[in-house]
Amino acid sequence: MAETTWFQNKHIVLGVTGGIACYKACELARELGRRGAVVQVVMTESATAFVSPLTFQALTGREVRLSLLDPKAEAGMGHIELARWADLILVAPCTANTLAQLAQGQAPDLLTTLWVAAHCEKAIAPAMNQQMWKHDLAQENLQRLVSSGTHIVGPDSGIQACGDVGSGRMSEPMDIVLTLESALSRGPLAKRKVVITAGPTHEPIDPVRYIANRSSGKMGFALAEAASRLGASVTLIAGPVYLQTPVGVSRIDVETAAEMFEAVHQSLDDTDLFIGAAAVCDMRPSHPSANKLKKSTDDLSHITLTENPDIIQSVANAKNRPKLVVGFAAETDDMLAHATQKLTAKSLDIIIANCVENGQIFGQDDTQATILSSHGDAQVVSGSKSQVAIDILNTLSERLNTRI
Ligand code: C5P
């Protein structure tokens, strides 16, 4: 057992809803118990089709609560008492159906009623088919929960029980526990909402070809991981990259600058800190072809380009502007002068300047950066991208916590 843990002596309602990931909730219940928590499992009716309540009773030592209208259970601890008893309601797995009910404040059963009735910490570990997870409505529901302060853990990507490959698998029990531990323990970014863009964007010329850049996304992913470890609730909006989603981070995949723009503005409400670490393509082909262009019949010597919107500038000038807007400047020459000029032109609070002369830094694990602030101070940080990310986030959290 961990030496000190947020879970010690905490009362946890573990909500289990009907998906195949129910089997992982058994291990989760055990892990929470090992950390000293008192775990009360509440199952929806469809969850009982996957795992027997008796399994959870054996693992937690408490009878599982199944029904809102259960006179026997209500005589012991009624649903309102149970809502007051809980320090944390954790719904894992959280199906698309339950996600929608929680986001809309519907209360057709015991679990959803507890959610509305309780004022405690709340968390979900979504689990659903990748197509359902990607659906606009599921993403809207998710954003509503994020805005109301719910901690989101996962989902993971990979092969799903239905055979599909993609994002939607429930996170591993240990990842859920560790993520919540850092979110609920009071790190310097506890209760802060952070949105980070990362990676390149791809701007299609035709279905096969695109304009892109050399960004690997490593720095943005390292920042997302660091922010989550320091206690923030993190949304990572990623261009096409080959990187694993950091534990505890909610990820939205996009391809083009226009999609990134949309995803950023949909996620912006109540954001404390926005970090634009993406290398957004400045231009896109004006008329991408629906069919593959052929050198025999098409003129391949010219591509007409249109300027993409400047995402970070639009964030800095938005009505719902985050408290702190932080950009990156990758420069090949006159790094500090160019970065300072961008800091002002884009109305940023802080810019992190990298020297990328001769392709340095792109795709590598180490980096060096200068943190320039609108107050005029500068701080140089260097080392692995993970270490630099922690240093940057510590500096940003100090600034965030001293701002009025
Ligand atoms: O102007 P430049 O591309 O060098 O500025 C880099 C900063 O601006 C980065 O933070 C990047 O994420 C952001 N940016 C953006 N939208 C663009 C271009 C850059 O958000 N279209």
Side-chain angles (χ1 to χ4, degrees):
M1 185 161 62
E3 270 173 37
T4 54
T5 160
W6 182 89
F7 293 106
Q8 184 74 44
N9 297 327
K10 289 290 192 305
H11 294 169
I12 299 178
V13 168
L14 175 59
V16 182
T17 71
I20 181 58
C22 278
Y23 79 93
K24 292 189 191 173
C26 301
E27 187 54 40
L28 182 57
R30 265 190 91 167
E31 195 51 50
L32 293 168
R34 274 194 206 118
R35 282 161 191 262
V38 184
V39 181
Q40 173 62 60
V41 173
V42 174
M43 296 176 82
T44 60
E45 196 185 341
S46 50
T48 61
F50 289 90
V51 175
S52 156
L54 200 59
T55 308
F56 284 109
Q57 182 177 320
L59 290 170
T60 62
R62 294 174 78 92
E63 201 171 323
V64 170
R65 296 284 298 265
L66 298 165
S67 162
L68 180 58
L69 306 172
D70 176 351
K72 190 174 128 254
E74 288 285 313
M77 182 159 28
H79 63 275
I80 297 297
E81 277 107 315
L82 187 52
R84 290 195 188 120
W85 173 87
D87 295 302
L88 166 70
I89 302 182
L90 165 59
V91 183
C94 182
T95 58
N97 178 43
T98 302
L99 173 66
Q101 289 173 345
L102 299 181
Q104 288 157 26
Q106 292 179 18
D109 59 16
L110 178 60
L111 179 59
T112 47
T113 301
L114 289 173
W115 188 272
V116 185
H119 286 286
C120 61
E121 297 282 0
K122 290 174 186 162
I124 62 165
M128 65 196 77
N129 166 270
Q130 52 90 22
Q131 214 44 268
M132 294 166 77
W133 175 245
K134 269 200 282 197
H135 198 285
D136 287 353
L137 291 172
Q139 289 302 315
E140 265 172 41
N141 289 333
L142 182 77
Q143 285 313 320
R144 286 182 85 155
L145 289 184
V146 169
S147 298
S148 67
T150 301
H151 302 277
I152 315 292
V153 188
D156 283 354
S157 289
I159 300 179
Q160 302 200 290
C162 57
D164 276 9
V165 178
S167 190
R169 279 167 32 150
M170 188 174 99
S171 295
E172 293 306 316
M174 196 51 134
D175 287 348
I176 295 175
V177 167
L178 294 179
T179 301
L180 288 178
E181 193 132 64
S182 64
L184 298 168
S185 319
R186 303 219 136 256
L189 287 175
K191 304 239 177 238
R192 298 291 191 180
K193 181 182 164 192
V194 177
V195 175
I196 300 176
T197 64
T201 62
H202 285 183
E203 309 297 332
I205 298 168
D206 66 17
V208 178
R209 307 171 180 98
Y210 54 81
I211 298 175
N213 58 59
R214 292 180 188 279
S215 170
S216 65
K218 282 184 182 172
M219 192 65 226
F221 274 60
L223 286 163
E225 182 170 16
S228 174
R229 277 219 258 149
L230 297 180
S233 143
V234 185
T235 302
L236 174 63
I237 299 168
V241 291
Y242 296 98
L243 294 172
Q244 272 212 320
T245 312
V247 168
V249 167
S250 167
R251 172 174 174 174
I252 302 172
D253 284 316
V254 296
E255 192 181 333
T256 63
E259 287 171 9
M260 188 172 275
F261 184 96
E262 271 308 306
V264 163
H265 282 280
Q266 272 189 16
S267 309
L268 212 56
D269 278 352
D270 306 314
T271 296
D272 296 287
L273 168 61
F274 176 85
I275 307 178
V280 184
C281 283
D282 290 318
M283 301 287 192
R284 66 174 182 275
S286 309
H287 307 290
S289 169
N291 301 314
K292 185 180 173 190
L293 297 170
K294 306 229 166 16
K295 59 183 170 205
S296 52
T297 50
D298 294 302
D299 176 11
L300 301 185
S301 60
H302 293 94
I303 301 171
T304 316
L305 298 174
T306 303
E307 198 170 332
N308 275 327
D310 193 301
I311 298 170
I312 204 164
Q313 194 166 346
S314 72
V315 168
N317 293 317
K319 275 204 193 116
N320 52 354
R321 185 193 202 277
K323 296 183 185 71
L324 212 55
V325 180
V326 179
F328 270 74
E331 306 294 339
T332 54
D333 56 277
D334 270 345
M335 181 181 86
L336 293 183
H338 282 128
T340 307
Q341 188 270 330
K342 278 177 195 170
L343 175 73
T344 315
K346 298 186 188 228
S347 313
L348 309 180
D349 300 297
I350 286 182
I351 197 152
I352 297 162
N354 292 128
C355 178
V356 291
E357 208 179 347
N358 305 322
Q360 282 179 66
I361 290 173
F362 283 124
Q364 292 172 13
D365 292 327
D366 285 353
T367 192
Q368 176 167 2
T370 306
I371 307 172
L372 294 170
S373 97
S374 54
H375 297 164
D377 29 84
Q379 179 194 351
V380 177
V381 284
S382 65
S384 68
K385 285 184 177 170
S386 310
Q387 186 51 51
V388 166
I390 293 276
D391 292 346
I392 290 173
L393 260 314
N394 275 323
T395 300
L396 298 184
S397 70
E398 268 170 39
R399 169 97 179 239
L400 205 50
N401 293 333
T402 53
R403 261 170 92 97
I404 295 150

